[in-house]
Structure formats: structure tokens, C-alpha cells
Amino acid sequence: MSRQRVPRRADLSQHFLRSRSLAASLIAQAPLTRSDLVVEVGPGRGILTRELARRCREVVAVEFDGALAEALRTRFRGDDRVTIVRSDFLRFRLPDSPYKVLGNIPFNRTAAIVRRLVEADPPPRDAWLVVQREAAERFAGGPGARETRSSLLLKPWWQIEIARHLRRTDFDPPPRVDAVALWLARRSRPLVDRLEAADYRRFIRSCFGRDGRSIWRCLRSEFTRPQIRRLGRDLRFDPSGPPRSLTFDQWLALFRFRRFTRS
């Protein structure tokens, strides 16, 4: 049976994957098993949905575009592994049972969707998202791009990495920016206790200064000058350097030292 090609809505920042083989490769690389319940964000024309249905126990595909949602219902009619829901993902009620999230999401909603996932109760075990590269680097941080406030606020509870780089020509229409697959894996043992989470976030927000500010200036409201000198020696950083030169492990050690001295 032929499938109707639904026009793209430019206002939804839709960039569909072109290739079935690429979709299959992305799903094969994603951390999925046969027993998984997967919530797909923005299934679009269903190219990833099709591969997910072959790989997972159940797929709940959440599509905002009404025309696309109707076309998907027609395409997957009779497949009891796939449920199509027309909804704004930011308002969609996530499952109470263990689940994972996957999607080629609208680039202009990346920050809101990631925030929705990491603040969910319960959050997904894994999220595998095709996003704009620049946004992914803000969340992943790391040695090359250095840490950002966004990455530092997530990493005690999530392992985050850019798992794959995609070409602009992999999409219809090609975006004006580079895209990647971003992987967020929930840590089985968080590095900051739930009861200390709010304090950690306050610490990062107060200390992680703007570009050009020194580590001295960022830390002086939390530590004495002798403490900063000692921490610089022990953690191997230059207090006169910029905050972005500190790694996540160093920020975590600073927070733990602060907690120890105030306990």
C-alpha cells in the first residue's frame, strides 16, 4: 500500500531523516533491547518508528502535527506494538513504568525537551536524541568543548555523550546547522545525593561565572583564599584561570569539599 507524503511544516522546525538504512543504523546503535518500552518524540513520517517497532517491545510515538499523526495511524494500523499519540510532548504524561526515550526532535525545542526529560518523575533510563550539534555540546561538555553550566547541572545524575555525527544531507530538508545523536544515560548511582541536589545546583549557579572571570572570583564567596590555594594544588588547577577550565570532576570535588567543611 502506498503511503501519502505529508508536507513539512516549517514552523515546527521539522527535518526528516531521508534514509531507511541510516534510521536502522541509528536504532541499532541506540541502547535498546527487545523488552523496552520506548517513547518516541516527534516521529514525523515514521522512519524511526518503523525500526523501533522491529527492535522494542512497545513504541509510543508522540506527534504534535495533526496531519502527520493521522498518516502515522494509517501506516501502523494493525501493528499492536505501536501507539500513535497526537500531543505536544512537553505536555504528554510520561510512563510510570521503566521506559526509554528516542527521537529526531525539533531543533528549536531541544532545551525544553531535555529539561522535560531530566526533571520527569520518573525520568527515562536512557534518552537518544537527534539534535543540533551546538546544543548537544552544551549538554555534553567535556574536554574539547569544556564544561558548561548546563553540563555541570546534569552530570551528577546523567552520563552524557555525543554518540554520532550526522551530515546535513541526511535530512529532508537539510538543516542549516550540524546535527548529532546525543545520548543521556541515567546513572544507577548518582554522584550527588538527592537530598543535596538543590545545594549542588545553587553552588554551580553561584560559582560558574561568565567568560573572563577567574576561578578566584567565582570561588571566593564559598572558600577562603588559603582554601582556594590548597584546592588548586590538590585538584591541579590554576586559580587565576577561567571557570571553564575546570572539569566536572574538579567541580564535584569542590562541592564535596565545601560540604565537608560545612558539616
Side-chain angles (χ1 to χ4, degrees):
M1 180 175 63
S2 62
R3 291 189 296 271
Q4 181 180 3
R5 185 178 179 86
V6 178
R8 167 186 178 267
R9 281 182 55 178
D11 61 311
L12 297 183
S13 188
Q14 295 169 324
H15 298 279
F16 304 113
L17 291 175
R18 290 180 180 274
S19 165
R20 288 184 178 179
S21 61
L22 173 59
S25 176
L26 282 169
I27 298 303
Q29 187 179 353
L32 301 172
T33 70
R34 296 282 183 188
S35 62
D36 282 335
L37 164 62
V38 176
V39 176
E40 184 185 4
V41 186
R45 294 170 180 161
I47 192 168
L48 287 174
T49 316
R50 175 177 174 269
E51 300 301 327
L52 283 169
R54 294 175 173 177
R55 179 81 179 271
C56 304
R57 170 175 59 87
E58 182 181 356
V59 182
V60 178
V62 183
E63 176 55 57
F64 180 79
D65 186 322
L68 286 172
E70 190 58 37
L72 288 167
R73 289 194 182 102
T74 300
R75 179 175 182 180
F76 292 100
R77 183 177 295 140
D79 190 337
D80 58 7
R81 298 165 299 181
V82 178
T83 302
I84 306 299
V85 178
R86 183 187 177 186
S87 176
D88 181 344
F89 177 76
L90 299 180
R91 295 179 174 84
F92 173 73
R93 180 174 177 177
L94 291 164
D96 294 323
S97 57
Y99 67 100
K100 297 179 179 180
V101 170
L102 186 143
N104 173 24
I105 67 177
F107 290 174
N108 61 0
R109 305 190 86 188
T110 298
I113 289 171
V114 170
R115 184 167 57 250
R116 170 84 168 92
L117 294 175
V118 300
E119 294 178 358
D121 184 20
R125 290 180 170 177
D126 292 275
W128 181 268
L129 306 172
V130 175
V131 301
Q132 181 181 346
R133 178 179 59 80
E134 183 179 356
E137 289 175 348
R138 286 199 301 272
F139 292 117
R146 298 191 175 184
E147 300 298 347
T148 67
R149 190 170 76 164
S150 295
S151 68
L152 292 172
L153 290 172
L154 290 177
K155 286 190 173 181
W157 301 276
W158 298 86
Q159 293 176 284
I160 310 169
E161 66 178 74
I162 294 174
R164 183 164 179 166
H165 291 263
L166 303 172
R167 300 171 300 180
R168 298 184 187 188
T169 53
D170 289 330
F171 298 88
D172 174 28
R176 297 180 180 179
V177 295
D178 295 327
V180 300
L182 179 68
W183 181 20
L184 297 94
R186 182 156 49 105
R187 295 185 188 274
S188 57
R189 297 183 63 181
L191 302 178
V192 172
D193 185 85
R194 178 176 56 86
L195 297 177
E196 297 172 339
D199 191 31
Y200 171 82
R201 294 187 180 107
R202 281 194 296 268
F203 172 74
I204 292 299
R205 290 186 175 114
S206 67
C207 291
F208 193 79
R210 299 174 181 174
D211 290 343
R213 293 183 61 183
S214 68
I215 296 171
W216 275 114
R217 292 187 62 189
C218 289
L219 299 183
R220 66 186 180 182
S221 64
E222 301 289 340
F223 306 104
T224 65
R225 292 180 73 87
Q227 285 176 331
I228 295 174
R229 291 192 189 97
R230 174 188 164 188
L231 288 164
R233 289 193 304 269
D234 292 348
L235 299 178
R236 299 182 178 181
F237 66 81
D238 179 1
S240 65
R244 290 181 182 273
S245 65
L246 293 175
T247 66
F248 166 64
D249 289 339
Q250 288 170 326
W251 280 108
L252 186 60
L254 288 168
F255 172 73
R256 288 172 173 169
F257 179 82
R258 171 183 174 274
R259 181 190 61 187
F260 173 77
T261 58
R262 297 189 178 192
S263 62

